[in-house]
Amino acid sequence: MGQKKQYSVITTTGKTYITENYSEKNDKVVFTSVDGERTEISLSKLDKIVSSGKKEKHNYTKKHIMYSNKKGALMLEIISGKVSLYERTIMGMNGMGPMGVPSASTSIDYYVIKEGQQVAQYIKGGNLAYGSFQKNIREFFEDCKPLIEMVETKGF
């Protein structure tokens, strides 16, 4: 019998819960731990959720990342370091499709944050109002001239 996927839900105080499933509802993570304790944790009190399982795709980390001064979301950590990259998946309903069947859409946005910063910056995704990828890269990495040159000369 294979190893089940499990999640370690870790709070900002360091308390860790183990669960086999969780859901995000109204700025909270809701789950029942493997000990049977039903728990709700505010996203602002959540440090991270670490997923582990038998397959490589089951092993990832999600963190609560602020993307404005007042709003945050649970995002997939792609790269962690002095500059970290996060992926935010947004599910939406487009209304009714053919034959009265609801139509759903998914968009993926990417955010970056430098070590010590409190708010991540949108870098790329489906929201054109937030600027182009190249413009956002130039602004975010303005203190890294070699990267800016790559963006400008090689169409990075």
Side-chain angles (χ1 to χ4, degrees), residues 121-147:
Q121 181 174 329
Y122 173 90
I123 206 79
K124 182 177 182 354
N127 194 334
L128 299 177
Y130 291 135
S132 72
F133 175 65
Q134 286 189 350
K135 175 182 173 279
N136 292 338
I137 286 284
R138 276 194 224 84
E139 287 175 6
F140 186 78
F141 291 106
E142 67 187 356
D143 58 346
C144 184
K145 298 299 179 203
L147 180 59

Side-chain angles (χ1 to χ4, degrees), residues 83-100:
V83 175
S84 298
L85 173 66
Y86 295 94
E87 176 184 292
R88 179 180 177 211
T89 303
I90 304 163
M91 307 288 268
M93 295 301 292
N94 294 339
M96 291 300 192
M99 314 252 311

Side-chain angles (χ1 to χ4, degrees), residues 48-95:
K48 61 187 168 185
I49 297 174
V50 179
S51 173
S52 60
K54 188 174 183 179
K55 297 180 181 177
E56 184 63 31
K57 69 181 180 179
H58 294 161
N59 302 316
Y60 58 83
T61 299
K62 286 189 173 184
K63 288 187 168 188
H64 177 247
I65 302 296
M66 296 301 291
Y67 59 89
S68 79
N69 289 331
K70 295 182 181 180
K71 294 182 180 179
L74 203 53
M75 297 188 198
L76 179 66
E77 186 176 69
I78 306 294
I79 297 171
S80 177
K82 290 187 182 212
V83 175
S84 298
L85 173 66
Y86 295 94
E87 176 184 292
R88 179 180 177 211
T89 303
I90 304 163
M91 307 288 268
M93 295 301 292
N94 294 339

